[in-house]
Amino acid sequence: MPSTPTSIEVSHLSVTYPNGHLALDDASFRLQGGCIAALVGINGSGKSTLLKALMGFVRPSRGSIRINDEDIASARAHSRVAYVPQNEEVDWSFPVNVRSVVMMGRYGHMNLLRIASREDQRIVTQCLEKVGLLDLQHRQIGELSGGQKKRVFLARALAQQAPIILLDEPFTGVDVTSEEAIITLLRQLRSEGALVLVSTHNLGSVPEFCDQVVLIRRSVLAAGPLEEVFTESNLKCAFGGVLRQFHFESSTIEDHDGKTVKLLTDDERPLVFGRGGHLEYRDRQGREQLVQKREEEAGS
Amino acid sequence: MNWSEPFSHPFMVEAFWLGALVSVTCAVFSCFLVLKGWSLMGDAISHAALPGIVIAHLLGMPLALGALAAALACSSLSQWITRSSSTKEDTAMGIAFSALFALGLVLYSRSDSELHLSHILFGNILGIEASARGQTIVASCLSLLVVLGRRRDLTLFCFDPIGAQAIGLNCRLLNLLLLATLGALSVAAMQAVGILLVVAMLITPGCTALLLCKNMGSALVVAAASAAIASTLGIYLSFFIDAATGPCMVLAQGLCFVLALLLRRLRLP
């Protein structure tokens, strides 16, 4: 793990594409190691552009990015940042097996001929184990399910052993088991001091595993701890009219159904605000105090 | 008819090993070309190499260098057309390479060279000159070494260019490496089968292997083996049926492809 503290600092970042489209305008935020940050915004709000700028794939027209207090080129040369791309950009019929893909994550640590050392093999095995794909390591990648494919690329990012991991929409087209596995893994990375930045437009999953939020709509609208930033009014601002809402009116919940209400969705997690804009969590691990506080409030 | 007769002529023996060397090199490279989705690029570059070859010949330079320059010119020209208009990539490439090929033909017809157009168009592996042979051997061996040495990076680059960039590979350099190898091999394969059929050498063996293989290592071996067999078979048969050698080699590769296709149909229900 790194000697310098892990951090991302984006200041006054603007990105203009060659066709003149201004994708990001004066975006600023700062994140520090040991957190999972959600990058939240609608499609086309600049999430992917911001991630690409962090990877150095697109050049900012203004502003700067510092990673661990280094510039991007130096950060990349030292394997500080790993990236899990969206699935669509890959040819799934390609003749590579799962293990070879994960091994690619080690290339930055190898010599020019990319001959794997015993240490590389050990790390790859370990990463495959972490994502639960060791049994499938000799499968051709196209033979996996959507969620398993995503886990392969997550394992490849893990194999890079970078302190910062960027994930672009990791939960689209992913089954529930894989989603749980990915979330567990990200939590583990956080506890090891890593900085995880996840772009998503799936609001419901954010309170489940993120502790920081960067709200984005061309520029950064708000950034900071989940409880402060992830509020109804901020989200309305970030999503504008495209946010679908369903209000459980007091007549149905409070009186008729004895405060019990069931909410079903197909694969997207719902985002639920309680009375006074409190975030409702499904996963209560580590939030026992909060739950107790809510109960006291409810009792009073 | 004496079945071993082809092996008793020195020019045939030379054609056998030179054909095998060129075919195997092209076959190894073809796996990457096909996976990168550059089949059309292979066709384009092999044709666009002609003006470079003519100019290099007039200047007394190695033909491969001329072909290399022409390859780069063709790809930058088509990129420029795509970027500066809404023309689609394959259309732009079609325009660029046919124009360059035509330029090559014009340059050839205006120059009094002892370069035989029929040798360029259809190959001349049975009567190859010493200097051309030397260039072919050097271009093939260098390409083979470079492609095999960098095969892991090239695999990653073809598979997932964004991931390759994220892992820290120099994708611009790898792109250039593919282009340069394509140019060099176009010249090598041109000596064997002629410029019109180079693209077959650069696509068919890789495609044959990818029908049968599920990993890159075995694909490279199968491609190389099928190309070596096809080259030997093609040259051998051309001796007895008294036909042009290059097209026979390409036909034999086509046959290998059909066999692989049938084999795959048998294996998959």
Side-chain angles (χ1 to χ4, degrees), chain B residues 211-234:
Chain B
L211 281 178
L212 303 174
C213 300
K214 276 189 181 174
N215 72 67
M216 210 52 196
S218 57
L220 293 176
V221 172
V222 170
S226 82
I229 292 169
S231 149
T232 308
L233 187 71

Side-chain angles (χ1 to χ4, degrees), chain B residues 9-251:
Chain B
H9 299 287
F11 70 92
M12 283 302 287
V13 174
E14 187 179 271
F16 278 124
W17 68 257
L18 199 61
L21 173 68
V22 172
S23 304
V24 166
T25 308
C26 288
V28 167
F29 184 66
S30 72
C31 294
F32 296 101
L33 208 61
V34 170
L35 286 171
K36 183 80 186 133
W38 270 19
S39 300
L40 181 70
M41 185 76 123
D43 196 20
I45 298 292
S46 59
H47 281 81
L50 186 60
I53 289 167
V54 174
I55 291 172
H57 180 75
L58 291 176
L59 296 176
M61 282 171 17
L63 302 187
L65 284 185
L68 220 83
L72 295 182
C74 176
S75 88
S76 359
L77 188 63
S78 58
Q79 270 170 23
W80 176 76
I81 295 173
T82 317
R83 237 183 302 127
S84 52
S85 65
S86 57
T87 314
K88 289 205 173 103
E89 217 169 312
D90 58 335
T91 314
M93 208 177 283
I95 294 169
F97 92 73
S98 48
L100 281 166
F101 187 59
L103 175 69
L105 290 173
V106 169
L107 282 175
Y108 175 82
S109 63
R110 290 290 300 152
S111 72
D112 269 337
S113 89
E114 67 279 21
L115 210 59
H116 292 286
L117 188 60
S118 69
H119 291 172
I120 293 177
L121 295 183
F122 306 115
N124 180 34
I125 197 167
L126 299 183
I128 193 165
E129 287 161 33
S131 69
R133 185 178 53 216
Q135 284 185 31
T136 303
I137 294 170
V138 170
S140 300
C141 291
L142 265 182
S143 303
L144 194 60
L145 271 179
V146 169
V147 171
L148 283 180
R150 307 295 285 157
R151 69 179 185 281
R152 293 196 171 89
D153 285 18
L154 286 173
T155 306
L156 173 51
F157 175 59
C158 295
F159 170 56
D160 178 13
I162 307 242
Q165 225 177 332
I167 285 163
L169 303 193
N170 187 339
C171 287
R172 205 173 286 177
L173 198 70
L174 289 170
N175 203 57
L176 203 64
L177 182 73
L178 277 185
L179 261 181
T181 313
L182 190 52
L185 283 182
S186 294
V187 177
M190 182 194 81
Q191 306 285 0
V193 297
I195 215 161
L196 296 179
L197 290 176
V198 163
V199 64
M201 306 269 283
L202 289 171
I203 295 177
T204 316
C207 208
T208 305
L210 292 171
L211 281 178
L212 303 174
C213 300
K214 276 189 181 174
N215 72 67
M216 210 52 196
S218 57
L220 293 176
V221 172
V222 170
S226 82
I229 292 169
S231 149
T232 308
L233 187 71
I235 297 171
Y236 184 80
L237 287 181
S238 76
F239 182 84
F240 289 108
I241 61 174
D242 198 18
T245 321
C248 283
M249 290 166 73
V250 171
L251 265 180

Side-chain angles (χ1 to χ4, degrees), chain A:
Chain A
M1 280 284 118
S3 49
T4 46
T6 304
S7 68
I8 294 176
E9 188 159 7
V10 172
S11 36
H12 306 293
L13 184 75
S14 297
V15 174
T16 313
Y17 281 111
N19 62 10
H21 174 64
L22 180 66
L24 271 180
D25 186 17
D26 197 31
S28 303
F29 67 92
R30 188 189 150 79
L31 292 168
Q32 227 157 5
C35 82
I36 302 176
L39 183 60
V40 179
I42 52 172
N43 289 326
S45 59
K47 297 191 298 282
S48 292
T49 305
L50 180 62
L51 290 185
K52 282 176 186 158
L54 285 170
M55 290 306 302
F57 297 164
V58 295
R59 209 177 270 276
S61 50
R62 225 164 54 82
S64 71
I65 299 171
R66 305 284 291 171
I67 286 168
N68 292 2
D69 254 336
E70 301 169 287
D71 60 22
I72 292 175
S74 150
R76 213 159 73 185
H78 294 104
S79 290
R80 301 265 194 256
V81 190
Y83 176 64
V84 182
Q86 281 193 18
N87 276 354
E88 300 84 63
E89 290 140 357
V90 161
D91 167 15
W92 293 112
S93 64
F94 205 94
V96 283
N97 64 24
V98 171
R99 192 179 177 87
S100 317
V101 174
V102 179
M103 185 58 86
M104 289 167 180
R106 298 298 304 158
Y107 284 5
H109 301 265
M110 295 182 193
N111 63 12
L112 268 185
L113 292 178
R114 317 294 187 202
I115 296 166
S117 68
R118 197 170 294 170
E119 174 72 358
D120 293 321
Q121 299 287 4
R122 190 187 63 77
I123 290 167
V124 167
T125 305
Q126 196 183 38
C127 293
L128 281 165
E129 224 164 16
K130 275 187 187 167
V131 299
L133 290 178
L134 198 57
D135 294 339
L136 303 178
Q137 60 171 327
H138 298 301
R139 288 269 190 96
Q140 193 266 333
I141 40 148
E143 296 168 4
L144 302 183
S145 74
Q148 288 168 338
K149 285 171 183 166
K150 195 55 111 181
R151 273 143 70 191
V152 174
F153 283 86
L154 183 59
R156 186 175 78 177
L158 293 181
Q160 279 179 259
Q161 295 193 316
I164 298 173
I165 298 188
L166 313 178
L167 298 100
D168 198 356
E169 296 281 359
F171 303 125
T172 25
V174 163
D175 54 286
V176 179
T177 330
S178 287
E179 186 175 322
E180 293 290 344
I182 293 171
I183 288 179
T184 309
L185 201 62
L186 296 183
R187 285 201 183 113
Q188 194 186 329
L189 286 168
R190 168 173 62 190
S191 68
E192 288 164 7
L195 199 175
V196 182
L197 180 61
V198 185
S199 91
T200 181
H201 65 268
N202 181 355
L203 294 178
S205 67
V206 171
E208 297 294 335
F209 70 104
C210 299
D211 45 85
Q212 298 275 321
V213 173
V214 178
L215 271 182
I216 182 169
R217 185 177 192 177
R218 180 86 60 88
S219 185
V220 172
L221 298 178
L226 177 82
E227 281 75 14
E228 289 170 24
V229 174
F230 213 58
T231 61
E232 215 176 325
S233 58
N234 271 348
L235 285 172
K236 268 183 188 158
C237 190
F239 281 72
V242 297
L243 205 58
R244 264 191 273 266
Q245 293 187 18
F246 186 87
H247 287 280
F248 301 95
E249 296 305 336
S250 56
S251 58
T252 40
I253 302 177
E254 299 281 322
D255 310 330
H256 189 269
D257 294 325
K259 295 189 179 180
T260 306
V261 68
K262 223 175 230 168
L263 198 148
L264 300 177
T265 71
D266 50 358
D267 59 346
E268 297 234 331
R269 289 167 193 258
L271 175 67
V272 181
F273 286 108
R275 197 194 307 173
H278 288 307
L279 273 173
E280 294 292 329
Y281 299 100
R282 190 184 57 103
D283 180 53
R284 302 187 164 186
Q285 189 194 349
R287 297 194 180 98
E288 292 80 3
Q289 267 191 321
L290 196 72
V291 173
Q292 202 184 348
K293 208 173 111 197
R294 296 276 164 83
E295 271 166 5
E296 278 166 21
E297 283 173 7
S300 67

